[in-house]
Amino acid sequence: MPDTAHSGDAWTDEEVQQLRELAGGNTPVGVMSIRLNRTEDAIRSKARAEGISLSPPNRSPYGDMS
């Protein structure tokens, strides 16, 4: 469980931008929570509020089959 020092704090523009970049790179929410020092629930909630997609990466569970 990440340190929740920011728990309940307003998000800064810089944090929202970092969230956008991490989401754009298909970063797992668990990794985002560590990088942003926020809970996974907070990240999902903020992403939803900002219209940021947290879709999982479009990868085969079996790796590269080509």
Side-chain angles (χ1 to χ4, degrees), residues 37-59:
N37 202 26
R38 300 271 184 175
T39 65
E40 290 186 26
D41 284 345
I43 288 168
R44 287 188 186 97
S45 176
K46 186 62 173 177
R48 193 167 32 251
E50 295 287 329
I52 299 168
S53 173
L54 295 179
S55 298
N58 194 10
R59 293 195 190 123

Side-chain angles (χ1 to χ4, degrees), residues 7-43:
S7 183
D9 289 354
W11 286 66
T12 65
D13 290 343
E14 188 175 303
E15 287 173 319
V16 173
Q17 181 59 36
Q18 190 174 5
L19 175 61
R20 286 184 191 284
E21 290 171 7
L22 290 168
N26 287 328
T27 305
V29 175
V31 174
M32 290 183 196
S33 74
I34 294 166
R35 297 279 289 278
L36 294 169
N37 202 26
R38 300 271 184 175
T39 65
E40 290 186 26
D41 284 345
I43 288 168

